[in-house]
Amino acid sequence: MSEAPQRPGVRRPGELTARELARFAWRQLTSMRTALVLLLLLALAAVPGSLIPQTSVDSFNASQWKDRHETLAPLYEKLGLFDVYGSTWFAAVYVLLMVSLVGCIVPRCWHYARGIGAQPPAAPARLTRLPDHESLHLDQGDAAVLERARAVLRRRRYRLRRDVPQGADWVAAERGYLREVGNLVFHLSVIVVLVGFAMGNMLGYKGAVILRQGETFSNNLTQYDDFVPGSLFDASNLDPFSFDIEKFDVQWRPLGPNVRDAGQARGYQAHMVYRTSPGAAEQTYDLRVNHPLDLGSSEVFLVGHGYAPIITVRDANGDKAWTGPVNFLPQDASFFSFGVVKAIDAKPDPIGLQGFLYPYFASIGGDPVNLGGQDANPVISMNVFTGDLGLEDGQPQSVYVLDTAKMTQLMTKDADTGKQKPLRLDLAVGDTAKLPNGLGSVTFDGIKPWVRVQISRSPGKDIALGGVVLALIGLCGSLFVRPRRVWVRARPNPEGGTDVEVAVLDRSGGGDTSSVLASIVESLRPGAAAREEQT
């Protein structure tokens, strides 16, 4: 059978117009359930950022990870897992969560704002059906009882219902409206925090640089090792400060079997001389962990330290192909460090060195061991390569990575087996090793400390902090303020006097209202006013 033609103006079940579909999609996006799902997705999306080295945070560690996982690295590159927080998919989840939260919060703010000024509801038809109620008989007239009830509740800071019908036999009151204020403040504070974070991410920046003792830093983009700007950041807004690292002090824990964290740093500080602008007077500051230096709108943090061995490489002609300190990166808490030297000017072929630094070297059973982070007996252990360093092909290359694809590793004969093995130079301070075949020599001249400082600007941090404080205040209000409603009904008794019903309702649930009910009932009894005046 053929399908019956659809009548004009009649829609199929579930058919929506474009406007209705947009409204439906908006309601789904701004529902609390969707916000919770997006929050869970954001938390899951952040997991790879904590498990996989991020290029923007530690490019050297990220490159080492790629070298160790040649199969997974191309896939992770396509998925953006080496820059999770800067990836498109993470930004999409974040933006959707922000839109969902704002869409959830704004309507609720209007709801709580209306609740702050709302009047208590009228008395139910039967107060005896409420969980906490009490009935009593008074000899006073019903009008006097109701007037007395209003006075009692007003003195206890209850809000009375204003539009009571003429001749009504009840009084309605409520207190605890600060709970609605707390809810409103809490929800508004979430928006304030989001605005603060958004300002910091868009207008701020974060950069890092490694400086050796005695070096100077000027705040411009060319001086940074890593720099992550906000989406609306303007480099012309950088504060024109500069500073020198004059000295670096470290307090080491002594070695010993009963010393916790033996050989590790107990504390360290960098003695700085800084200038807020090129023509400003010099000032001093001792930079320590969690004690940043404020320079204009920027903050300077001390986030790490290490060592830079001073190495001299001479080529076959005896000329210096490289001399100076080289930053080695710590691999563990004992400051066992890795570094690379690239002597591109060596003749006839460039020379490359890569290996490790033992700040506190010791030999145990013929094996090299690092006892701690203090540079009490520094030794470098380096392998030697010659050939094309890969620096002239136009591709950027990390100073902490030696590209050995087109290089030849120098070998030496094993004294025990007679077989060839990689040449390893083990040098203490002042030692010089000759390279085979007259290729030159390598000298370990000394060692310098370096510090890693982070320089950042977060223009919205004060706004975000204010939002967090408001959230705590609002949360305390919504948790500890107990909204209660009280109704008093007074009806004349045919035999004389007035029958009174009093009921109390705790809107937050679980509150003990029996004491409140007993206190209000006692205040309505004859002589209560005189007793209250005496007390």
Side-chain angles (χ1 to χ4, degrees):
M1 298 177 59
S2 62
E3 184 179 356
Q6 183 178 358
R7 290 180 297 170
V10 178
R11 292 189 293 178
R12 298 185 181 92
E15 185 178 358
L16 300 175
T17 64
R19 182 177 181 180
E20 292 170 340
L21 181 61
R23 183 186 303 159
F24 173 78
W26 174 253
R27 288 178 178 174
Q28 293 299 312
L29 177 61
T30 57
S31 67
M32 186 58 68
R33 179 178 58 186
T34 302
L36 292 175
V37 171
L38 289 172
L39 187 61
L40 177 62
L41 287 177
L42 191 69
L44 293 176
V47 171
S50 60
L51 298 178
I52 302 173
Q54 300 296 290
T55 304
S56 59
V57 177
D58 192 344
S59 58
F60 172 70
N61 195 15
S63 62
Q64 282 191 321
W65 196 96
K66 294 176 184 178
D67 294 337
R68 293 193 303 267
H69 304 82
E70 297 181 355
T71 304
L72 291 176
L75 177 61
Y76 284 11
E77 285 278 9
K78 293 181 180 179
L79 295 177
L81 297 183
F82 294 109
D83 187 17
V84 169
Y85 307 110
S87 62
T88 304
W89 54 270
F90 187 87
V93 176
Y94 185 83
V95 170
L96 285 175
L97 176 60
M98 297 302 102
V99 173
S100 179
L101 285 176
V102 173
C104 288
I105 291 170
V106 171
R108 284 170 173 78
C109 288
W110 289 115
H111 170 74
Y112 291 128
R114 289 195 300 267
I116 293 173
Q119 294 192 66
R126 297 183 181 180
L127 295 180
T128 54
R129 290 185 173 181
L130 294 176
D132 292 293
H133 67 277
E134 188 171 338
S135 300
L136 67 156
H137 181 80
L138 300 176
D139 294 333
Q140 299 171 298
D142 58 335
V145 172
L146 293 178
E147 185 60 32
R148 172 65 179 162
R150 294 188 188 95
V152 168
L153 295 173
R154 192 178 294 112
R155 188 166 57 250
R156 294 169 182 258
R157 298 181 180 178
Y158 280 82
R159 179 184 296 177
L160 299 177
R161 185 178 178 90
R162 297 185 299 272
D163 55 347
V164 179
Q166 187 70 25
D169 59 356
W170 50 265
V171 172
E174 185 175 359
R175 65 174 299 175
Y177 283 89
L178 284 178
R179 183 185 180 91
E180 303 298 331
V181 175
N183 288 328
L184 177 61
V185 169
F186 177 78
H187 283 78
L188 287 176
S189 67
V190 176
I191 298 179
V192 173
V193 171
L194 294 178
V195 170
F197 277 116
M199 289 180 59
N201 290 331
M202 291 189 296
L203 301 176
Y205 70 89
K206 181 174 67 175
V209 61
I210 291 179
L211 296 172
R212 292 182 286 268
Q213 183 173 288
E215 290 186 338
T216 300
F217 174 83
S218 298
N219 193 30
N220 60 71
L221 294 181
T222 60
Q223 296 276 296
Y224 285 92
D225 295 331
D226 300 303
F227 190 83
V228 182
S231 56
L232 301 180
F233 172 75
D234 187 357
S236 62
N237 295 329
L238 285 172
D239 297 305
F241 61 82
S242 61
F243 56 83
D244 306 329
I245 305 297
E246 285 200 331
K247 188 179 179 182
F248 182 68
D249 293 329
V250 186
Q251 297 79 44
W252 299 99
R253 297 188 184 275
L255 295 176
N258 298 322
V259 179
R260 185 180 179 184
D261 300 330
Q264 296 186 16
R266 180 171 53 191
Y268 49 91
Q269 59 184 355
H271 304 284
M272 302 172 55
V273 175
Y274 68 91
R275 296 155 294 276
T276 56
S277 61
E282 292 185 347
Q283 303 179 61
T284 60
Y285 186 79
D286 292 338
L287 189 65
R288 295 174 292 159
V289 176
N290 297 327
H291 291 77
L293 171 63
D294 293 328
L295 291 173
S297 59
S298 304
E299 289 182 308
V300 182
F301 297 85
L302 180 61
V303 296
H305 64 105
Y307 292 108
I310 303 173
I311 299 173
T312 298
V313 179
R314 294 182 180 272
D315 61 12
N317 300 326
D319 299 326
K320 290 182 179 180
W322 168 270
T323 184
V326 182
N327 297 333
F328 276 49
L329 299 181
Q331 304 297 296
D332 55 31
S334 71
F335 287 84
F336 174 69
S337 306
F338 176 84
V340 168
V341 177
K342 302 177 184 181
I344 191 173
D345 295 328
K347 304 297 182 183
D349 295 313
I351 297 175
L353 307 174
Q354 70 175 11
F356 299 98
L357 165 69
Y358 299 82
Y360 203 150
F361 175 82
S363 179
I364 300 178
D367 297 324
V369 176
N370 188 48
L371 299 180
Q374 187 175 5
D375 55 339
N377 184 30
V379 169
I380 58 172
S381 180
M382 311 284 286
N383 294 118
V384 187
F385 299 82
T386 62
D388 186 1
L389 292 169
L391 297 175
E392 299 178 352
D393 57 4
Q395 296 295 325
Q397 189 180 111
S398 172
V399 295
Y400 304 108
V401 176
L402 182 66
D403 185 3
T404 60
K406 299 179 181 179
M407 304 188 74
T408 301
Q409 185 173 10
L410 297 188
M411 309 295 287
T412 187
K413 183 181 293 186
D414 191 298
D416 297 330
T417 63
K419 296 181 179 180
Q420 292 291 316
K421 66 176 184 179
L423 173 65
R424 189 181 74 181
L425 306 180
D426 295 324
L427 303 176
V429 175
D431 290 348
T432 298
K434 297 291 185 179
L435 299 180
N437 303 323
L439 292 176
S441 64
V442 177
T443 303
F444 183 16
D445 297 309
I447 192 168
K448 272 189 174 184
W450 59 255
V451 297
R452 180 178 175 86
V453 296
Q454 176 180 295
I455 304 168
S456 61
R457 184 176 71 183
S458 302
K461 66 176 183 179
D462 293 335
I463 297 177
L465 177 60
V468 172
V469 173
L470 287 177
L472 293 175
I473 295 174
L475 188 60
C476 290
S478 62
L479 290 178
F480 299 113
V481 176
R482 310 195 71 88
R484 293 190 173 106
R485 290 173 177 172
V486 177
W487 295 279
V488 179
R489 175 171 280 119
R491 292 175 176 173
N493 190 297
E495 298 180 359
T498 303
D499 293 329
V500 181
E501 295 177 350
V502 183
V504 180
L505 178 65
D506 191 324
R507 292 181 56 201
S508 58
D512 183 13
T513 56
S514 57
S515 60
V516 178
L517 176 62
S519 177
I520 294 175
V521 170
E522 184 62 26
S523 299
L524 295 178
R525 294 185 185 277
R531 291 193 297 271
E532 290 177 0
E533 290 178 0
Q534 292 177 358
T535 57

